[in-house]
Amino acid sequence: MEQKKQKKNGIYQTVVDQITGIFFPVINIITAASMIKSAIVLLGTFGVVSTQSGVYQIFYAVSDGFFFFLPFFLAITASKQWNTDLYISLLIPVAMLYPDITAILENGKTLSFLGLTVPSTVYHSSVIPVLMAIGLLHFVEKPCDKYIGEAVRGFLKPIICCLIVLPVTFLLFGPMGTWIGDILTKIFFALYDWNSVVAGAFMGFFMQPMVVVGAHWSVVPVSISNVANYGYDVIMPLVGGAVYAQAGAALAVGILCKHNKEKRQVAFQASLTAALGVTEPALFGVNVPMVRPMIAACLAGAVGGAMVGAAGTHCTSFAFPSYLTCVAYVGPGFVTFLLSMAVSFVLGFIFTMVQKKYLFVAQK
């Protein structure tokens, strides 16, 4: 029994170490890009800087551009973590984000590959497809290094790797997030027709995990379409609490990291950027690797979503929910919407704090 427990803990710690090894090298860049983006959008919203000015466009480009090309950064860190050839690894996001490919696959169209349909998929800002591709590349490279002669390995190995990894990525790894998002969206609308409170709790719980796997890009066009066709949307208001629950959980981790200054700093920074509406630093730098804060945040987000579902809050224009964009949510249920984000933040903090003796970081 004790051996099984140790084995389970060993697997858990291995997964945590792998996730940390991939995201930690770029977490400060994620945080910096998040803060630049939040600041420049805020300045543009209040007219301090014109959204047509070079200042706005350049700083928005460096911040939003980082998230757009995130697969490149993850290909580099995953390559180092899993010992793959760096330059072959970079060929994968090159194909994923090639303009002609994104113009087709990110606009609801499909490609045909040897008689198979390549599904419409959003690859910019994605995480899971490139990581799964680099993981597969690790196993493809091994026999190449073993059986291909050194004289021809330099050019033959990249060709073989691309022939195997790229089709699997475009046909399977890439569409997975879209499939998950489509399934969860259908479940949400079925629940909303039955009970808006339950639907709110469902979306509040699952939205941030959807961000992790890139499935949230399936929800975005639905929300935009709702605003265009009906003049309002009910999805985005439900996930405001989920955003601030991540901030609360990250803040709790920062307080618990008394003996690890580096993690403490990252957690505090991630909490701040999540409070500004950008959750990636909190997700990838803090809550997902530690698992328990992520679960705590999802539960807190479910409470916030249920509150908004009960109030029937709508947004009249598309905007990712935060206090900075709350003007888009003015109307019936607006006060509950604001309250739900505060409640979720507090609950995310509390739910994480009560687990302190189980948190790996708290034992450091």
Side-chain angles (χ1 to χ4, degrees):
M1 192 71 172
E2 185 64 27
Q3 288 181 344
K4 288 184 178 180
K5 184 176 181 181
Q6 290 178 352
K7 184 177 180 181
K8 182 178 179 181
N9 290 337
I11 295 173
Y12 168 78
Q13 192 56 53
T14 298
V15 172
V16 170
D17 290 343
Q18 292 295 317
I19 296 174
T20 301
I22 292 169
F23 286 101
F24 209 77
V26 295
I27 194 62
N28 286 329
I29 306 302
I30 294 177
T31 303
S34 301
M35 297 185 74
I36 292 173
K37 185 175 182 179
S38 298
I40 198 67
V41 169
L42 187 62
L43 292 174
T45 300
F46 289 98
V48 178
V49 175
S50 171
T51 56
Q52 303 303 314
S53 68
V55 171
Y56 183 93
Q57 293 184 27
I58 288 173
F59 280 104
Y60 189 85
V62 72
S63 56
D64 193 60
F66 168 79
F67 290 105
F68 187 95
F69 293 108
L70 181 61
F72 280 99
F73 290 87
L74 296 182
I76 293 172
T77 58
S79 175
K80 293 180 179 179
Q81 186 71 17
W82 294 330
N83 298 315
T84 62
D85 185 288
L86 175 60
Y87 299 103
I88 297 177
S89 298
L90 287 172
L91 283 175
I92 296 168
V94 162
M96 291 166 59
L97 296 177
Y98 185 69
D100 288 353
I101 292 293
T102 59
I104 296 171
L105 297 183
E106 296 193 8
N107 287 284
K109 302 177 182 178
T110 60
L111 285 173
S112 177
F113 180 83
L114 298 178
L116 300 173
T117 299
V118 179
S120 175
T121 304
V122 174
Y123 285 107
H124 73 265
S125 307
S126 64
V127 172
I128 298 301
V130 70
L131 293 184
M132 296 183 74
I134 302 300
L136 175 60
L137 179 63
H138 169 79
F139 294 101
V140 174
E141 281 193 20
K142 281 188 173 183
C144 289
D145 291 333
K146 184 175 181 180
Y147 296 111
I148 298 177
E150 189 174 347
V152 295
R153 187 186 304 156
F155 71 88
L156 196 55
K157 177 180 170 181
I159 294 174
I160 293 174
C161 289
C162 285
L163 287 174
I164 296 174
V165 176
L166 286 179
V168 176
T169 300
F170 279 97
L171 292 169
L172 180 60
F173 297 158
M176 286 178 67
T178 301
W179 294 335
I180 294 171
D182 289 343
I183 291 171
L184 292 177
T185 301
K186 290 178 180 178
I187 294 174
F188 162 76
F189 279 113
L191 288 174
Y192 198 86
D193 290 339
W194 173 62
N195 189 304
S196 62
V197 175
V198 175
F202 176 86
M203 191 56 70
F205 185 92
F206 282 106
M207 188 60 179
Q208 290 302 307
M210 290 171 70
V211 172
V212 174
V213 300
H216 66 300
W217 291 112
S218 297
V219 176
V220 170
V222 175
S223 177
I224 294 174
S225 177
N226 287 340
V227 172
N229 294 329
Y230 308 112
Y232 67 90
D233 172 59
V234 298
I235 301 177
M236 285 296 114
L238 299 174
V239 301
V243 172
Y244 283 85
Q246 296 292 331
L251 178 62
V253 171
I255 292 174
L256 294 173
C257 286
K258 297 178 181 179
H259 305 298
N260 191 322
K261 291 183 179 180
E262 188 175 18
K263 286 186 178 181
R264 185 183 182 91
Q265 181 182 17
V266 168
F268 284 145
Q269 291 174 347
S271 179
L272 175 60
T273 56
L276 294 173
V278 182
T279 57
E280 280 83 355
L283 287 171
F284 301 128
V286 183
N287 297 339
V288 170
M290 295 181 63
V291 181
R292 289 180 181 273
M294 184 64 182
I295 296 173
C298 289
L299 291 172
V303 174
M307 291 174 61
V308 173
T313 307
H314 295 173
C315 64
T316 54
S317 62
F318 178 80
F320 287 108
S322 76
Y323 285 111
L324 299 180
T325 60
C326 63
V327 65
Y329 298 83
V330 174
F334 177 63
V335 174
T336 303
F337 170 71
L338 298 178
L339 184 61
S340 73
M341 292 189 288
V343 169
S344 296
F345 178 89
V346 172
L347 290 179
F349 178 86
I350 294 174
F351 291 166
T352 303
M353 289 294 290
V354 297
Q355 299 183 88
K356 63 180 181 179
K357 71 176 182 179
Y358 301 108
L359 296 178
F360 171 77
V361 70
Q363 299 169 356
K364 292 296 181 183

